[in-house]
């Protein structure tokens, strides 16, 4: 008569596990424990907390050393099964099992003469290897590779599955990938593709791990038996079992993402999309993973996004969201897939907006799971690339803006970065969004984040501020400027991270753009900001930083006489210095964008109607600018060519006639 | 399988002619049927597949001895699987769970839906036996945490607990949970999961083959009159009705 949960409390059971003296009593207690925890996360946690794992492991270890008066095999099987169950799907369980020293004992079961014992040991180890916490297997040691090969060559399918799981868990670097493929593992895994269900699945996962960003292994695989191995994987995408179909798709996606020339055929691409869509209907983990696989298939690939759009993927994903509460993992995957779809194609964005699911995305911004919140922000960022819909005010409302601002306080950095991305897009060009955002106190929060220790947060915060100041009227700019302060802005220009420097300079560029008063910002507090820009131009090496810096100077040089002279001072810091001016260096740059920015500055500095133009023309000519410009008269970049001509004309007009 | 392809080929031929309904006499039909060669071993494999999947272990053993067809699975595992199935069918769910766990602990650990359905069945049996207090305690201790993990489990749990609210359960809106059919449903779910864990198909091939035959005949009906098989049990050819 099996004992039920209510007759014996957990403490009692653990007591019997450790105190039972004879094999039979131990076995009974072990089975009882095993049957209570299998499938039951709550029970696993409570038994782990009560310290059941070490008791089980000590039964295992004494049975390994032969104890058990005729029960030893059963004790091995039952204790290994209980350990495996503790490790199944619960990281705390894996940790407890490893801490209790179960690993070497389980490993010794693999060479046990009894098949059932081998099965139980291999299953438990596989469970452990499914967790991130499992110890890393060192493939680079010869005896380890031999042991791995012996596992894969085993007749027992649990043991071969274990071999494949070890690869999936532990193979990370390209050196390890190479070692595995040199040792003939690929061939072994290919042969397992024709094996049982569990062997096929395990092999597909291991193959995908070896293929990841490893074109060599892929060519080797694709060349195997003139493409038969690849065909076998393609065939498995039609398998009866959903998980097998999913793993085959993931394997093909890895091949394609690493080696885009394979699987170019439209048929197979569409097929992958359709299979993944169908797998989304699976209520379990397969459905969750399918959403992520879809995202990795279409991310940054416009051809696939187009195909997905034609296959109605937007509608289907939205239907999943509409159907009611979706599990967090799946919700995240679907939002990310939608984000990928909308990242490039306006057709997808319009479709998404017309399906009226935006309120669901807005709700996702306050989801319990940080991953879902971040995914919702990324999705909004993609959708808000639609200038047409943003202008029409189609989706930005106060609720959305307020929620986005609240997310700036989020405890998760990845959410903060994602929400900054969304805000950057939403505030870029549209008066209504900007005012709502400013009224709701968004600027203060952005300024706070621009001082974050995390450089990704910092760069995104400054980016958002930059977009916020784009084409804004001067009153609003002033508000932003006061909040930001001169000292913060100049320290952002001097940030040690070039990407932050770039965004900070772009922010200044936007600040000083537009009406003539706005140029004054860089002259505040003894021209602190202007000097910061000048200093950065002298020392920075990244083209993007220099481009933004030069545009700041161009914008300032479009101002009054005093402004132009200040720019001259930044370009030629020491009077009479014979060293080459930075502006020459920029005019000679390989980057046409930097050349454009530099010529613009020259054009603004030599604008004829201003009184000091003559003096500047002389100074620029002496610095060799004119001869440099003459060399650029046929610049391959049309924009540069055009500005160079304007500049040269101005030299003639304002100059002494010696051009 | 070959029979199926034969019918399909017929279909294609007739389609290519694009005439009005063609009549195929019994003689012509039988002649064509005789040209189709089906290997005895394949037929035997089909039979064995049916016996193994449906769990007729004694018949499978006899058939193996008589025909020499090797089953693709250890026959001993069939006995275990049938014992699990039978336990659920008789309402001994706890016993069934222990047996599944002995067979392969991964099945219920990696299949939350099946695990929930077995626990739900356990609750149903407690309610059936009038053990109200035990049922409530079980629902709270074992099932409620699963409902927290999964919205659809929660709905099913609510439906099941609703059984306790009615005096006359046989006539209540959720009364069908107490039907034998509910046990059979759960039993076949366990059966399928065990088969899958043994890398075996969860459905026998034979019924789907018969379904294909019916489908192909229906397609053919629109194009031709031919000796049809109406009685699948005897597979006699009926004379074409013209």
């Amino acid at each position: 008569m099996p004992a039920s949960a209510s007759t014996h409390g957990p403490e009692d059971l653990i007591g019997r596990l450790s105190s039972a003296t004879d094999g039979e009593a131990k076995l009974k207690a072990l089975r009882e424990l095993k049957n209570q925890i299998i499938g039951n996360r709550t029970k696993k946690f409570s038994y782990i907390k009560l310290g059941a794992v070490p008791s089980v492991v000590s039964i295992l270890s004494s049975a390994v050393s032969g104890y058990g008066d005729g029960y030893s095999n059963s004790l091995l099987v039952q204790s290994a099964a209980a350990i495996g169950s503790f490790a199944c799907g619960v990281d705390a369980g894996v940790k407890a099992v490893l801490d209790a020293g179960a690993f070497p004992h389980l490993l010794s079961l693999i060479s046990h003469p009894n098949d059932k014992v081998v099965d139980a040991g291999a299953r438990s180890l596989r469970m452990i290897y499914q967790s991130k916490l499992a110890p890393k297997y060192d493939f680079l040691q010869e005896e380890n590779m031999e042991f791995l090969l012996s596992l894969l060559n085993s007749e027992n399918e649990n043991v071969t599955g274990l071999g494949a799981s070890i690869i999936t868990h532990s193979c990370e670097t390209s050196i390890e990938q190479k070692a595995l493929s040199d040792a003939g593992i690929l061939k072994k895994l290919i042969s397992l593709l024709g094996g049982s269900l569990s062997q096929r699945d395990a092999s597909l996962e291991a193959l995908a791990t070896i293929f990841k960003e490893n074109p060599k292994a892929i060519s080797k695989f694709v060349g195997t038996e003139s493409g038969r191995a690849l065909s076998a994987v393609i065939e498995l995408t039609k398998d009866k079992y959903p998980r097998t179909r999913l793993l085959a798709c993931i394997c093909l996606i890895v091949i394609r993402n690493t080696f885009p020339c394979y699987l170019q055929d439209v048929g197979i691409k569409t097929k992958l999309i359709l299979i993944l869509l169908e797998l989304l209907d699976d209520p379990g983990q397969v459905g969750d993973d399918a959403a992520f696989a879809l995202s990795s298939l279409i991310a940054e690939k416009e051809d696939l996004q187009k195909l997905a759009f034609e296959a109605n993927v937007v509608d289907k994903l939205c239907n999943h969201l509409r159907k009611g509460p979706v599990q967090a993992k799946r919700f995240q995957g679907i939002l990310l897939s939608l984000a990928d779809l909308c990242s490039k194609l306006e057709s997808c964005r319009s479709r998404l907006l017309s399906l009226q699911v935006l309120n669901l995305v807005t709700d996702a911004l306050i989801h319990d799971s940080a991953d879902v919140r971040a995914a919702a922000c990324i999705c909004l960022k993609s959708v808000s690339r639609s200038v047409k819909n943003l202008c029409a005010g189609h989706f930005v409302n106060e609720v959305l803006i307020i929620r986005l601002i609240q997310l700036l306080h989020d405890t998760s950095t990845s959410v903060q970065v994602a929400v900054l991305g969304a805000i950057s897009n939403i505030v870029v060009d549209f008066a209504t969004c900007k005012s709502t955002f400013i009224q709701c106190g968004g600027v203060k929060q952005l300024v706070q984040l621009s001082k974050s220790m995390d450089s990704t947060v910092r760069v995104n915060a400054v980016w958002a501020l930059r977009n916020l100041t784009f084409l804004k009227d001067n009153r609003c700019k002033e508000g932003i400027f006061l909040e930001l302060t001169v000292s913060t802005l100049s320290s952002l220009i001097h940030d040690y991270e070039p990407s932050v420097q770039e965004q900070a300079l772009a922010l200044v560029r936007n600040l000083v753009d537009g009406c003539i008063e706005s140029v004054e910002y860089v002259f505040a507090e003894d021209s602190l900001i202007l000097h910061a820009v000048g200093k950065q131009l002298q020392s920075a090496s990244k083209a993007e930083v220099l481009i933004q810096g030069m545009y700041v100077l161009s914008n300032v040089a479009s101002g009054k006489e005093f402004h132009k002279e200040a720019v001259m001072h930044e370009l030629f810091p020491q009077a009479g210095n014979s060293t080459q001016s930075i502006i020459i260096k920029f005019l000679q740059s390989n980057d046409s964008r930097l050349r454009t920015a530099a010529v613009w500055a020259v054009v603004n500095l030599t604008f004829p109607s201003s009184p000091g133009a003559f003096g500047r023309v002389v100074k620029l000519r002496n610095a060799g600018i004119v001869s440099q410009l003459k060399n650029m008269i046929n610049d391959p970049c049309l924009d540069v060519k055009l500005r160079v001509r304007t500049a040269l004309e101005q030299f003639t007009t304002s100059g002494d006639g010696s051009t | 399988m070959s029979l199926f392809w034969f019918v399909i080929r017929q279909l294609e031929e007739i389609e290519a002619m694009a005439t009005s309904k063609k009549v195929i006499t019994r003689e012509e039909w039988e002649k064509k049927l005789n040209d189709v060669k089906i290997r005895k071993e394949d037929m035997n494999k089909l039979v064995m597949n049916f016996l193994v999947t449906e769990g007729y272990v004694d018949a499978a053993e006899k058939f193996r001895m008589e025909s020499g067809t090797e089953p693709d699975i250890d026959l001993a595992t069939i006995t275990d699987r049938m014992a699990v199935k039978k336990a659920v069918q008789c309402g001994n769910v706890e016993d069934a769970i222990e047996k599944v766990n002995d067979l392969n602990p991964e099945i219920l650990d990696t299949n939350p839906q099946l695990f929930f359905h077995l626990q739900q069945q356990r609750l149903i049996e407690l309610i059936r036996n009038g053990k109200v207090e035990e049922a409530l305690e079980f629902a709270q201790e074992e099932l409620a945490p699963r409902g927290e993990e999964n919205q659809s489990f929660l709905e099913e749990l609510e439906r099941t607990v609703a059984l306790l609210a009615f005096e006359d359960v046989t006539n209540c809106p959720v009364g069908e949970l107490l039907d034998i059919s509910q046990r059979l449903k759960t039993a076949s779910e366990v059966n399928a999961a065990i088969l899958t864990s043994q890398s075996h198909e969860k459905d026998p091939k034979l019924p789907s083959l018969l379904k294909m035959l019916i489908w192909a005949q229906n397609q053919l009906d629109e194009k031709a009159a031919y000796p049809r098989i109406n009685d699948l049990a005897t597979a006699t050819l009926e004379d074409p009705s013209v």
Side-chain angles (χ1 to χ4, degrees), chain A residues 372-385:
Chain A
V372 173
R373 294 198 298 274
C377 292
I378 296 170
C379 185
L380 278 172
K381 177 183 169 187
S382 280
V383 179
S384 58
R385 287 198 177 133

PDB file of all heavy atoms in Angstrom, chain A residues 372-385:
ATOM      1  N   VAL A 372       9.601  40.666 -20.231  1.00  0.00           N
ATOM      2  CA  VAL A 372       8.442  41.081 -21.024  1.00  0.00           C
ATOM      3  C   VAL A 372       8.433  42.604 -21.164  1.00  0.00           C
ATOM      4  O   VAL A 372       8.195  43.139 -22.251  1.00  0.00           O
ATOM      5  CB  VAL A 372       7.126  40.585 -20.382  1.00  0.00           C
ATOM      6  CG1 VAL A 372       5.924  41.161 -21.114  1.00  0.00           C
ATOM      7  CG2 VAL A 372       7.066  39.069 -20.381  1.00  0.00           C
ATOM      8  N   ARG A 373       8.725  43.307 -20.076  1.00  0.00           N
ATOM      9  CA  ARG A 373       8.736  44.775 -20.137  1.00  0.00           C
ATOM     10  C   ARG A 373       9.763  45.254 -21.168  1.00  0.00           C
ATOM     11  O   ARG A 373       9.469  46.112 -22.005  1.00  0.00           O
ATOM     12  CB  ARG A 373       9.073  45.367 -18.762  1.00  0.00           C
ATOM     13  CG  ARG A 373       8.025  45.118 -17.695  1.00  0.00           C
ATOM     14  CD  ARG A 373       8.184  46.063 -16.503  1.00  0.00           C
ATOM     15  NE  ARG A 373       9.449  45.931 -15.796  1.00  0.00           N
ATOM     16  CZ  ARG A 373       9.695  45.057 -14.812  1.00  0.00           C
ATOM     17  NH1 ARG A 373       8.732  44.226 -14.434  1.00  0.00           N
ATOM     18  NH2 ARG A 373      10.868  45.011 -14.219  1.00  0.00           N
ATOM     19  N   ALA A 374      10.958  44.654 -21.118  1.00  0.00           N
ATOM     20  CA  ALA A 374      12.005  45.066 -22.061  1.00  0.00           C
ATOM     21  C   ALA A 374      11.571  44.747 -23.496  1.00  0.00           C
ATOM     22  O   ALA A 374      11.746  45.573 -24.403  1.00  0.00           O
ATOM     23  CB  ALA A 374      13.318  44.365 -21.736  1.00  0.00           C
ATOM     24  N   ALA A 375      10.975  43.569 -23.693  1.00  0.00           N
ATOM     25  CA  ALA A 375      10.547  43.183 -25.048  1.00  0.00           C
ATOM     26  C   ALA A 375       9.482  44.144 -25.567  1.00  0.00           C
ATOM     27  O   ALA A 375       9.472  44.509 -26.747  1.00  0.00           O
ATOM     28  CB  ALA A 375      10.024  41.751 -25.053  1.00  0.00           C
ATOM     29  N   ALA A 376       8.582  44.577 -24.680  1.00  0.00           N
ATOM     30  CA  ALA A 376       7.533  45.509 -25.100  1.00  0.00           C
ATOM     31  C   ALA A 376       8.155  46.829 -25.546  1.00  0.00           C
ATOM     32  O   ALA A 376       7.729  47.430 -26.534  1.00  0.00           O
ATOM     33  CB  ALA A 376       6.550  45.742 -23.957  1.00  0.00           C
ATOM     34  N   CYS A 377       9.187  47.281 -24.831  1.00  0.00           N
ATOM     35  CA  CYS A 377       9.874  48.522 -25.217  1.00  0.00           C
ATOM     36  C   CYS A 377      10.534  48.362 -26.579  1.00  0.00           C
ATOM     37  O   CYS A 377      10.464  49.260 -27.428  1.00  0.00           O
ATOM     38  CB  CYS A 377      10.949  48.879 -24.200  1.00  0.00           C
ATOM     39  SG  CYS A 377      10.307  49.353 -22.608  1.00  0.00           S
ATOM     40  N   ILE A 378      11.184  47.216 -26.784  1.00  0.00           N
ATOM     41  CA  ILE A 378      11.876  46.994 -28.059  1.00  0.00           C
ATOM     42  C   ILE A 378      10.861  46.978 -29.193  1.00  0.00           C
ATOM     43  O   ILE A 378      11.094  47.510 -30.282  1.00  0.00           O
ATOM     44  CB  ILE A 378      12.683  45.675 -28.000  1.00  0.00           C
ATOM     45  CG1 ILE A 378      13.776  45.806 -26.948  1.00  0.00           C
ATOM     46  CG2 ILE A 378      13.278  45.342 -29.353  1.00  0.00           C
ATOM     47  CD1 ILE A 378      14.491  44.514 -26.610  1.00  0.00           C
ATOM     48  N   CYS A 379       9.697  46.384 -28.916  1.00  0.00           N
ATOM     49  CA  CYS A 379       8.635  46.341 -29.921  1.00  0.00           C
ATOM     50  C   CYS A 379       8.159  47.763 -30.240  1.00  0.00           C
ATOM     51  O   CYS A 379       8.024  48.142 -31.403  1.00  0.00           O
ATOM     52  CB  CYS A 379       7.504  45.470 -29.387  1.00  0.00           C
ATOM     53  SG  CYS A 379       6.188  45.211 -30.555  1.00  0.00           S
ATOM     54  N   LEU A 380       7.930  48.559 -29.197  1.00  0.00           N
ATOM     55  CA  LEU A 380       7.487  49.948 -29.417  1.00  0.00           C
ATOM     56  C   LEU A 380       8.531  50.742 -30.191  1.00  0.00           C
ATOM     57  O   LEU A 380       8.195  51.572 -31.037  1.00  0.00           O
ATOM     58  CB  LEU A 380       7.258  50.633 -28.071  1.00  0.00           C
ATOM     59  CG  LEU A 380       5.918  50.353 -27.424  1.00  0.00           C
ATOM     60  CD1 LEU A 380       5.892  50.929 -26.022  1.00  0.00           C
ATOM     61  CD2 LEU A 380       4.790  50.948 -28.254  1.00  0.00           C
ATOM     62  N   LYS A 381       9.794  50.459 -29.908  1.00  0.00           N
ATOM     63  CA  LYS A 381      10.861  51.171 -30.596  1.00  0.00           C
ATOM     64  C   LYS A 381      10.784  50.895 -32.099  1.00  0.00           C
ATOM     65  O   LYS A 381      10.882  51.812 -32.911  1.00  0.00           O
ATOM     66  CB  LYS A 381      12.205  50.706 -30.035  1.00  0.00           C
ATOM     67  CG  LYS A 381      13.391  51.335 -30.717  1.00  0.00           C
ATOM     68  CD  LYS A 381      14.672  50.765 -30.136  1.00  0.00           C
ATOM     69  CE  LYS A 381      15.866  51.175 -30.974  1.00  0.00           C
ATOM     70  NZ  LYS A 381      17.085  50.511 -30.521  1.00  0.00           N
ATOM     71  N   SER A 382      10.565  49.614 -32.445  1.00  0.00           N
ATOM     72  CA  SER A 382      10.456  49.255 -33.867  1.00  0.00           C
ATOM     73  C   SER A 382       9.242  49.910 -34.506  1.00  0.00           C
ATOM     74  O   SER A 382       9.323  50.462 -35.595  1.00  0.00           O
ATOM     75  CB  SER A 382      10.317  47.750 -34.025  1.00  0.00           C
ATOM     76  OG  SER A 382      11.542  47.127 -33.925  1.00  0.00           O
ATOM     77  N   VAL A 383       8.122  49.806 -33.824  1.00  0.00           N
ATOM     78  CA  VAL A 383       6.886  50.339 -34.400  1.00  0.00           C
ATOM     79  C   VAL A 383       6.997  51.853 -34.568  1.00  0.00           C
ATOM     80  O   VAL A 383       6.527  52.425 -35.561  1.00  0.00           O
ATOM     81  CB  VAL A 383       5.676  50.002 -33.500  1.00  0.00           C
ATOM     82  CG1 VAL A 383       4.405  50.569 -34.098  1.00  0.00           C
ATOM     83  CG2 VAL A 383       5.535  48.507 -33.341  1.00  0.00           C
ATOM     84  N   SER A 384       7.672  52.510 -33.619  1.00  0.00           N
ATOM     85  CA  SER A 384       7.733  53.968 -33.686  1.00  0.00           C
ATOM     86  C   SER A 384       8.734  54.461 -34.722  1.00  0.00           C
ATOM     87  O   SER A 384       8.950  55.648 -34.866  1.00  0.00           O
ATOM     88  CB  SER A 384       8.052  54.549 -32.311  1.00  0.00           C
ATOM     89  OG  SER A 384       9.264  54.028 -31.851  1.00  0.00           O
ATOM     90  N   ARG A 385       9.350  53.518 -35.446  1.00  0.00           N
ATOM     91  CA  ARG A 385      10.146  53.963 -36.590  1.00  0.00           C
ATOM     92  C   ARG A 385       9.239  54.427 -37.719  1.00  0.00           C
ATOM     93  O   ARG A 385       9.703  54.975 -38.714  1.00  0.00           O
ATOM     94  CB  ARG A 385      11.011  52.812 -37.111  1.00  0.00           C
ATOM     95  CG  ARG A 385      12.154  52.525 -36.198  1.00  0.00           C
ATOM     96  CD  ARG A 385      13.235  51.733 -36.874  1.00  0.00           C
ATOM     97  NE  ARG A 385      14.344  51.555 -35.950  1.00  0.00           N
ATOM     98  CZ  ARG A 385      14.947  50.406 -35.722  1.00  0.00           C
ATOM     99  NH1 ARG A 385      14.566  49.334 -36.363  1.00  0.00           N
ATOM    100  NH2 ARG A 385      15.929  50.333 -34.870  1.00  0.00           N
TER     101      ARG A 385
END
